[in-house]
Amino acid sequence: MIVAFATDHGGFPLRAVVLQTCRDLSCQVLDFGTDRPEPCDYPEYARKVALAVVDGQAERGILLCGSGVGMCLAANKVPGVRACVCHDTYSARQGVEHDHMNVLCLGARVVGPGLARILVQTFLTARFDELPRHRRRLDQLAQLEKDVLAGRIGKAP
Ligand code: RB5
């Protein structure tokens, strides 16, 4: 599996363990940085991973920041991205199985390296359950996205 990866300075302490975990699972990593601990802005890093996923360069994405929240908000601005912060293994697995989550966001100020490794393993080894009820709900999500993009609903404030 090809995995797109990025972090800001807040997520930097988990960078090495997440990259190693991906490689231990024989994943190829597209590393979009940052590779240094100096402060930087998470939206530009989320953007690179989100576009790699929706363009099909990568099957999954992993984003790190301090809480996971900023990266998640930014990635979900890109239509086709289904990003979530999952700091428990139940959500990291079910988010893929039921909701076809394609980007995992983790906060390095919330979880340590041991749990981060397990969360990444759980996310990358989970597969979408092709059950009709899950597919129907995904189609509804996609329709919601289309309606907003077409200006049919949800006018921006
Ligand atoms: C950086 O201080 C921090 O705001 C960022 O890493 C992230 O946690 C935002 O959600």
Side-chain angles (χ1 to χ4, degrees):
M1 179 187 289
I2 301 178
V3 178
F5 169 86
T7 181
D8 74 352
H9 58 292
F12 194 80
L14 290 181
R15 175 184 161 83
V17 70
V18 168
L19 290 175
Q20 187 58 50
T21 303
C22 292
R23 291 178 180 133
D24 289 345
L25 290 165
S26 301
C27 292
Q28 182 188 331
V29 180
L30 303 180
D31 182 358
F32 291 103
T34 182
D35 56 5
R36 52 184 60 191
E38 284 76 30
C40 60
D41 296 334
Y42 63 79
E44 63 179 286
Y45 292 92
R47 176 190 184 111
K48 290 174 187 173
V49 165
L51 292 176
V53 170
V54 298
D55 289 349
Q57 295 168 51
E59 189 176 332
R60 303 268 174 98
I62 298 178
L63 288 165
L64 311 177
C65 65
S67 62
V69 173
M71 284 293 197
C72 185
L73 292 174
N76 279 318
K77 296 294 180 194
V78 177
V81 166
R82 293 176 297 276
C84 303
V85 180
C86 297
H87 288 153
D88 67 277
T89 54
Y90 183 86
S91 305
R93 178 171 303 285
Q94 191 195 271
V96 176
E97 291 176 345
H98 290 200
D99 312 312
H100 216 341
M101 170 172 66
N102 52 15
V103 176
L104 175 69
C105 303
L106 299 177
R109 296 173 188 160
V110 185
V111 297
L115 179 54
R117 181 173 172 82
I118 293 169
L119 292 167
V120 168
Q121 288 169 335
T122 302
F123 169 64
L124 292 178
T125 55
R127 296 291 177 269
F128 178 57
D129 278 341
E130 281 286 355
L131 296 175
R133 67 177 186 278
H134 299 322
R135 178 51 65 188
R136 182 177 69 245
R137 291 160 190 163
L138 275 181
D139 290 345
Q140 290 167 356
L141 277 182
Q143 188 60 50
L144 178 58
E145 207 165 61
K146 277 186 199 153
D147 288 345
V148 172
L149 286 171
R152 286 190 284 270
I153 58 169
K155 297 273 186 296

